[in-house]
Structures are given as C-alpha cells and as structure tokens.
Amino acid sequence: DGALLLVANRRDRSASLIEAASMTELRRIALDIDHPHGVAVSPDGRLGFISFEGTTEVLGGVVAVDLDSGEVVWRRELGQLHPGVMYLTARVP
C-alpha cells in the first residue's frame, strides 16, 4: 500500500527507510550521530526526526531528515542521554 518505515540503526549511526510490505530497504541515511534510536515522522511524511543519546562528552539531541532526498536538514543538541522523540501538533487557544 506504499507504507514506509523509518528505522534507527544504532550501531551503524544511520537510519533506514524501508518499504513495509516487502521489508526492503529503500535508502540508508548516514546521520553522523552517536546512538540514534528514537524515531518520529511529520504528519505529511516529508521529515523524519531521530533522537540520539550522545555520550558523556557529546550532547544528545535530534536530527531532522528529508525522507525524499535523505539529507539531514538540521541537528539540535539538547542535553545528554535523550531516550526518544515524538512529533506533536497542538492548537493554542
């Protein structure tokens, strides 16, 4: 049905875009971050957000990836040992 999975590859410092029906890897995205693991996708399916733990010497945070091109569009360090990420939208009254 065209459904895709975004998977963090912790040891490889990358993420994989996978076709869900066949479990075929369509793209491997180099992230250049330590310990990627938390994954969320924007509602429109254009961006993937992947959290990374970092190390005791390097801050953890989040990277945003353009899922069409595989390009890392931004990276933000947030602190140490971030275990996950989620994408929320909210309306402020």
Side-chain angles (χ1 to χ4, degrees):
D1 66 357
L4 301 174
L5 302 171
L6 181 61
V7 178
N9 304 312
R10 186 174 173 87
R11 289 190 178 184
D12 190 43
R13 299 170 49 130
S14 67
S16 294
L17 192 59
I18 296 172
E19 181 183 43
S22 66
M23 296 305 287
T24 301
E25 184 180 61
L26 303 175
R27 171 179 290 118
R28 180 146 312 199
I29 303 164
L31 299 174
D32 192 31
I33 56 175
D34 290 313
H35 314 299
H37 58 90
V39 175
V41 176
S42 65
D44 63 6
R46 292 181 54 230
L47 293 176
F49 303 96
I50 301 149
S51 66
F52 56 100
E53 287 182 17
T55 67
T56 55
E57 294 143 10
V58 177
L59 294 177
V62 176
V63 294
V65 177
D66 181 311
L67 296 177
D68 288 331
S69 69
E71 176 185 349
V72 174
V73 277
W74 55 259
R75 171 186 169 148
R76 297 294 181 267
E77 293 176 339
L78 300 172
Q80 292 186 330
L81 305 175
H82 281 272
V85 64
M86 69 175 71
Y87 184 93
L88 299 173
T89 59
R91 296 178 76 173
V92 178

